[in-house]
Amino acid sequence: MANSFSTGFWANVSRIILRNRILILIILAAATVFLAMQWKNMRFTFTEANLLPDKHPVNIEYNKFLEIFGEEGNLIVLAVKDSSLFTTKKFNLWNKLSKQLNAFPEVDLVISTDNLQTLAKDTEKEEFKLEPFFLEPPTSSKEIEALKTKLFEKLPFYEGLLFNKETQTIRIAVYLDKDIVNTSVRKDFIFNDFEPLVKEFEEESGLDLRVSGMPYIRTLNSQNIVDEIGVFITAALLITSLIFFFFFRSFRATFISMVVVIIGVMWAFGILGLLHYEITVLTALIPPLIIVIGIPNCIFFINKYQQEIRKHGNQAKSLQRVISKIGNATLMTNVTTAAGFATFIVTESKLLKEFGIVASINILVIFILSLLIIPIVYSFMALPKRKHLKHLNKRWIEAFVNWMEKTVKNYRISVYVVSIVLLIACIIGIYQIKISGSLIEDMPKKAAFFEDIRFFEEEFDGIMPLEIMVDTKRRNGVMRLPTLRRMQDVEDLIRETPELSDPISVVNLVKYSKQAYYNGNPNYFQLPNNQENNFILSYARKSSSNANLLSSFVDSTGQTARITTFMKDIGTEKMERIEESLWNKINKVLPPDRYDVTMTGKAFLFTKGTKYLVRNLVISLALAILLISLFMAYMFRSFKMIIISLIPNLLPLLITAGMMGFIGIPIKPSTILVFSIAFGISVDDTIHFLAKYRQELTESNWKIKRSVYAALRETGVSMFYTSIVLFFGFSVFMISSFGGTVALGGLVSATLLFAMLANLILLPSLLLSLEKSIANKAVLKKPNINILEKE
């Protein structure tokens, strides 16, 4: 009954499409115009990818930190490592740059030699006061040398923040207005004001100015994503159209296919705008993805049309058969591909959820566009000429099919041995895979800003903030000397950790207060003892300058303090070791019954997010396998057929995972996507092959060998064509400057190539070897869906 419904349904669909051609084209044109109007709602992301769900404990702690201290990723740093900076002209240009930066409304605060404030003791008023580092711009090298000595030798409070004493690298710290950090204003400021000023300084001074900091990196990185979308779309269109033309040798067929996928891309952008989703490093992949996945649909439809024309030359009959016979099979394959992407929706990560929703919708959309546009456009055109059908008789394709048939017929044992050897090698490789939760690992390695990141890691131990928040559970508890000493113990461990920078906290400020109390003697840059504490605190309480400095490190109630350090770009494993070491120390010196301590910050959040993502994507892959297994069960109604169909699709995934282990590609947000995407696409070949095999079985009265070879010959060419298009289509992503996108493209391409060979060699071999156990009508019952209708 289901089969007769399916047959009748597709016959009706073909009638409706071919009888309402003009109306359908008008509806498609109107929908395209409507979706093009939604492009204006597309937004580019101005925040880091938050991989954790909103209600995750780590996210809640981070938001609590933001409520107390505000946005922590608002620091841009500029540095120069050149002794010639300490000459009159260049030093004054450096200070002029600081003034210019401070004048921008987007800038909250600039700390540099130009406006540096030193803490001093006012004995008359018995308070601390802030004095400028210098009163008048220096006019001689002698004055500059004196300032340099004062900075490097007398002001340990600013070491690590403004200078590296060993290498004499000096920097400017620019704190952006926290309200604009996650908005488009940040982008406008960086490109229109900040960068021209940096270039102007470099030209005037002849110095190499290094720039970094999370707002700067994020802005340039986002721009790279935007720039690459156009490159990807152009490259995907170019490579798929060239391959398509190489196979079909027809400008007309190539042009029709390009029209279909270009409309698909326009719809993809429109759907992004309609849903008001941001363009992230993942959603930026969707338009080229639609081209790569859309072209195989076109191959199936056009190939079938040309085969029908060659058979009987009747255009109306050919178009009706294209829709009724290929429509069902293509729908099934697109549904399984969409299911692979749709599993990301269950991950609870906003980034992946949006990617899963938009990708799965657009895969079904490109199927509908192919189904409607190709038959309608061909119906207005003349019949294909004989030269356009020549590709159906290509000798090299025939040779490829003969090789597959010969391998399956004569070398099945060799096929199994190779498969088992590969499986063992993969398992060894899988055990070598590492997990990476680095914020900057996937960023363009050749970009100037990436070199600057490495420079700041070398000179100042990193630019990614890591925050430790200490809640003393009592008002003004932070300024108690025992608490400060406990915090200092934690800071000492941070200083001993080479991957972390020297920490900045209220402890430094109290040390600086003691130094100021002893007339600026750097030997007294230390915490006061109990006796000194009373005198120093009495000075500090009267000082408004101290209160201003204090607000950066302690909340308004004096109950909660922050310790800020910056970390290098380290992997998840190293970060976890450091975290464990810090917690051991924290729990010892700041016992949980008296202090609430939380570790947070953008880099920390990303590391935790990666771990969460890996766990969730393993679940989503398992869900994809389950969904597609259920789909196979519904189609073929045979448990043995499910197992047989999964083997050639799971083996390529294992081979890819093994390759990742051997090559050293870590599991990270970009590479973990490979498995669900590749599985969803590769299972299409299995469905095509098994559907044809099932059809041949019934027609040949259950002759297994004959059915396997017939299915191999019939589906081998289309599967080869589509696999080659997909292989080169996904390879397009390898031109990206983002490491994650390169890995995604290369790994999906490799997986799909393995999957094609597995489906064309391993799957038929399994069917022939297990013919006795599956070649009976009880095992292969009448399917629920006839994917391929009888001729």
Side-chain angles (χ1 to χ4, degrees):
M1 190 174 170
N3 292 329
S4 57
F5 167 77
S6 172
T7 308
F9 172 77
W10 285 103
N12 289 332
V13 168
S14 64
R15 269 197 298 276
I16 291 165
I17 292 171
L18 295 171
R19 286 178 184 175
N20 300 282
R21 296 176 300 171
I22 304 295
L23 177 64
I24 288 169
L25 288 178
I26 291 168
I27 291 168
L28 288 176
T32 305
V33 170
F34 169 74
L35 287 167
M37 288 165 69
Q38 303 304 311
W39 292 3
K40 64 180 184 292
N41 297 323
M42 282 193 302
R43 294 170 297 134
F44 296 102
T45 183
F46 294 105
T47 57
E48 280 99 358
N50 189 353
L51 307 175
L52 292 167
D54 294 338
K55 291 180 181 174
H56 194 280
V58 174
N59 239 348
I60 291 167
E61 285 172 359
Y62 180 65
N63 290 328
K64 184 184 171 187
F65 172 85
L66 293 182
E67 278 172 33
I68 297 171
F69 294 107
E71 173 63 45
E72 39 90 50
N74 65 330
L75 173 65
I76 296 179
V77 282
L78 303 92
V80 168
K81 185 182 181 180
D82 192 329
S83 57
S84 71
L85 173 69
F86 299 101
T87 55
T88 314
K89 182 192 172 189
K90 291 182 181 179
F91 190 69
N92 286 328
L93 280 172
W94 177 252
N95 293 325
K96 178 189 165 191
L97 174 66
S98 169
K99 278 191 179 74
Q100 288 171 311
L101 287 167
N102 216 0
F104 289 113
E106 296 88 352
V107 174
D108 197 24
L109 171 72
V110 173
I111 303 174
S112 77
T113 50
D114 173 61
N115 63 358
L116 193 62
Q117 300 289 308
T118 59
L119 201 63
K121 183 171 72 167
D122 187 332
T123 45
E124 282 181 23
K125 294 181 181 175
E126 292 190 343
E127 66 176 27
F128 292 119
K129 60 182 180 179
L130 288 171
E131 292 179 345
F133 180 53
F134 57 79
L135 294 168
E136 294 293 326
T139 54
S140 67
S141 54
K142 191 178 176 182
E143 285 177 33
I144 290 173
E145 197 58 40
L147 288 173
K148 183 179 164 186
T149 305
K150 182 181 176 182
L151 181 67
F152 291 150
E153 304 299 332
K154 302 282 178 71
L155 297 173
F157 178 75
Y158 290 106
E159 188 173 353
L161 177 66
L162 278 192
F163 64 87
N164 180 330
K165 190 176 174 180
E166 282 180 27
T167 61
Q168 301 208 334
T169 302
I170 195 162
R171 70 179 184 177
I172 295 173
V174 181
Y175 291 89
L176 295 186
D177 180 350
K178 289 175 179 178
D179 294 333
I180 69 123
V181 170
N182 294 324
T183 69
S184 58
V185 178
R186 183 195 79 213
K187 178 189 168 191
D188 296 338
F189 167 69
I190 297 286
F191 287 123
N192 302 335
D193 301 320
F194 182 79
E195 288 227 296
L197 201 60
V198 166
K199 285 194 179 92
E200 185 188 314
F201 171 81
E202 286 187 319
E203 284 167 13
E204 282 187 46
S205 67
L207 294 167
D208 179 18
L209 186 58
R210 305 290 194 145
V211 185
S212 199
M214 292 314 292
Y216 183 74
I217 293 168
R218 282 158 55 192
T219 305
L220 268 62
N221 205 42
S222 297
Q223 193 56 43
N224 269 1
I225 293 170
V226 175
D227 294 343
E228 284 196 352
I229 293 176
V231 174
F232 281 155
I233 291 171
T234 308
L237 282 171
L238 187 67
I239 202 158
T240 50
S241 59
L242 282 173
I243 295 167
F244 194 94
F245 183 75
F246 174 73
F247 286 153
F248 284 91
R249 303 294 165 97
S250 163
F251 285 110
R252 187 164 71 177
T254 308
F255 177 73
I256 293 167
S257 301
M258 289 303 107
V259 167
V260 170
V261 292
I262 288 168
I263 293 171
V265 168
M266 292 172 75
W267 281 40
F269 281 127
I271 289 166
L272 273 170
L274 190 65
L275 296 171
H276 292 270
Y277 285 169
E278 288 183 337
I279 290 186
T280 62
V281 72
L282 286 185
T283 50
L285 300 178
I286 289 171
L289 208 60
I290 293 308
I291 296 169
V292 172
I293 292 170
I295 287 291
N297 288 345
C298 300
I299 288 175
F300 278 115
F301 282 116
I302 293 172
N303 204 34
K304 180 65 177 171
Y305 174 65
Q306 293 186 347
Q307 281 176 351
E308 291 293 330
I309 289 292
R310 190 174 69 165
K311 267 185 201 172
H312 47 71
N314 185 324
Q315 189 179 46
K317 189 177 177 183
S318 299
L319 292 170
Q320 185 267 332
R321 281 192 167 184
V322 164
I323 298 166
S324 62
K325 300 198 182 306
I326 293 295
N328 200 20
T330 316
L331 172 64
M332 295 307 153
T333 55
N334 279 268
V335 164
T336 54
T337 304
F341 284 92
T343 53
F344 297 135
I345 298 167
V346 301
T347 57
E348 286 186 46
S349 162
K350 183 171 175 269
L351 181 82
L352 278 173
K353 200 181 284 261
E354 290 182 0
F355 176 68
I357 290 168
V358 178
S360 48
I361 289 172
N362 279 294
I363 287 163
L364 297 176
V365 160
I366 196 74
F367 161 72
I368 293 164
L369 290 172
S370 309
L371 181 72
L372 297 175
I373 294 171
I374 292 171
I376 290 174
V377 170
Y378 267 116
S379 72
F380 289 108
M381 290 181 164
L383 287 173
K385 292 175 183 165
R386 187 174 292 276
K387 65 177 181 178
H388 296 142
L389 307 177
K390 275 184 184 174
H391 73 93
L392 297 168
N393 302 316
K394 276 191 188 143
R395 284 185 183 176
W396 63 273
I397 285 285
E398 186 68 24
F400 175 69
V401 174
N402 287 339
W403 171 78
M404 287 188 303
E405 195 174 311
K406 187 180 170 186
T407 305
V408 171
K409 195 180 284 183
N410 303 321
Y411 303 104
R412 283 205 294 280
I413 301 298
S414 303
V415 168
Y416 299 144
V417 169
V418 169
S419 300
I420 290 164
V421 168
L422 281 172
L423 183 63
I424 293 164
C426 299
I427 292 164
I428 296 165
I430 288 167
Y431 277 101
Q432 295 176 41
I433 293 182
K434 291 182 171 65
I435 294 173
S436 165
S438 162
L439 251 177
I440 62 173
E441 185 182 33
D442 283 345
M443 290 181 184
K445 301 281 189 292
K446 291 176 184 172
F449 76 84
F450 193 86
E451 287 175 24
D452 288 353
I453 291 170
R454 294 291 181 233
F455 170 83
F456 280 97
E457 284 188 346
E458 189 70 34
E459 295 293 322
F460 296 96
D461 294 322
I463 44 90
M464 292 184 290
L466 177 68
E467 301 280 354
I468 296 169
M469 191 163 65
V470 181
D471 183 353
T472 61
K473 299 185 183 179
R474 57 192 286 183
R475 196 176 176 84
N476 296 319
V478 170
M479 295 308 290
R480 291 175 70 248
L481 201 53
T483 301
L484 294 169
R485 285 177 181 152
R486 289 170 188 274
M487 286 174 66
Q488 182 176 240
D489 286 346
V490 176
E491 290 184 17
D492 288 342
L493 178 63
I494 292 172
R495 281 190 188 89
E496 288 165 16
T497 308
E499 293 83 7
L500 299 176
S501 71
D502 284 356
I504 309 159
S505 76
V506 66
V507 174
N508 300 54
L509 186 57
V510 173
K511 286 179 179 178
Y512 194 20
S513 299
K514 179 175 175 178
Q515 182 189 348
Y517 186 78
Y518 286 102
N519 302 314
N521 185 338
N523 295 328
Y524 288 97
F525 185 73
Q526 55 191 237
L527 282 178
N529 58 36
N530 292 338
Q531 193 178 355
E532 292 166 330
N533 196 41
N534 296 328
F535 298 117
I536 290 166
L537 279 181
S538 71
Y539 267 69
R541 284 192 193 101
K542 295 176 189 173
S543 313
S544 59
S545 55
N546 242 39
N548 292 337
L549 284 169
L550 201 63
S551 64
S552 303
F553 307 116
V554 182
D555 74 332
S556 56
T557 65
Q559 179 176 314
T560 307
R562 71 193 280 193
I563 300 170
T564 303
T565 179
F566 294 89
M567 59 189 274
K568 291 182 178 179
D569 173 35
I570 50 178
T572 308
E573 284 179 26
K574 228 178 211 178
M575 180 64 215
E576 283 175 346
R577 283 203 300 273
I578 291 168
E579 187 190 349
E580 188 184 347
S581 162
L582 285 173
W583 276 121
N584 287 340
K585 186 76 170 179
I586 288 166
N587 290 330
K588 211 175 281 178
V589 299
L590 294 163
D593 57 322
R594 292 167 61 192
Y595 300 93
D596 274 339
V597 183
T598 50
M599 209 179 290
T600 189
K602 286 225 161 57
F604 183 77
L605 209 66
F606 193 80
T607 305
K608 293 291 177 193
T610 304
K611 290 285 280 185
Y612 175 85
L613 204 61
V614 170
R615 236 182 358 258
N616 273 264
L617 286 173
V618 168
I619 295 166
S620 82
L621 177 60
L623 186 63
I625 293 168
L626 178 68
L627 278 175
I628 289 162
S629 301
L630 291 171
F631 186 64
M632 293 283 201
Y634 181 69
M635 284 193 306
F636 297 111
R637 300 173 70 199
S638 161
F639 179 73
K640 286 182 181 176
M641 286 300 284
I642 295 169
I643 301 300
I644 288 171
S645 66
L646 286 178
I647 290 169
N649 288 296
L650 292 178
L651 184 63
L653 299 188
L654 293 170
I655 292 172
T656 303
M659 274 172 52
M660 286 172 71
F662 287 124
I663 297 168
I665 299 171
I667 291 277
K668 49 189 172 181
S670 46
T671 54
I672 193 80
L673 300 174
V674 169
F675 302 103
S676 294
I677 293 172
F679 185 76
I681 296 172
S682 68
V683 83
D684 298 352
D685 284 350
T686 311
I687 291 172
H688 271 288
F689 184 88
L690 289 179
K692 187 64 191 169
Y693 167 69
R694 177 67 179 70
Q695 189 186 67
E696 290 292 336
L697 267 182
T698 52
E699 286 177 9
S700 66
N701 199 22
W702 303 90
K703 291 185 174 65
I704 286 273
K705 283 182 182 170
R706 186 170 141 191
S707 303
V708 167
Y709 298 136
L712 195 57
R713 290 200 154 272
E714 181 78 21
T715 58
V717 177
S718 287
M719 280 160 72
F720 177 73
Y721 279 7
T722 53
S723 295
I724 293 299
V725 169
L726 288 165
F727 176 80
F728 285 105
F730 274 100
S731 299
V732 160
F733 294 129
M734 293 179 75
I735 63 172
S736 172
S737 56
F738 291 89
T741 312
V742 172
L744 177 75
L747 291 170
V748 172
S749 296
T751 311
L752 293 176
L753 200 63
F754 294 139
M756 177 193 77
L757 292 170
N759 278 304
L760 289 176
I761 295 171
L762 182 59
L763 180 59
S765 300
L766 286 169
L767 290 170
L768 288 170
S769 297
L770 302 170
E771 63 178 301
K772 286 180 183 171
S773 62
I774 60 169
N776 62 74
K777 295 173 190 179
V779 171
L780 263 175
K781 298 172 188 136
K782 197 172 174 65
N784 278 309
I785 303 172
N786 262 348
I787 297 168
L788 298 169
E789 305 298 339
K790 286 184 184 177
E791 294 297 327

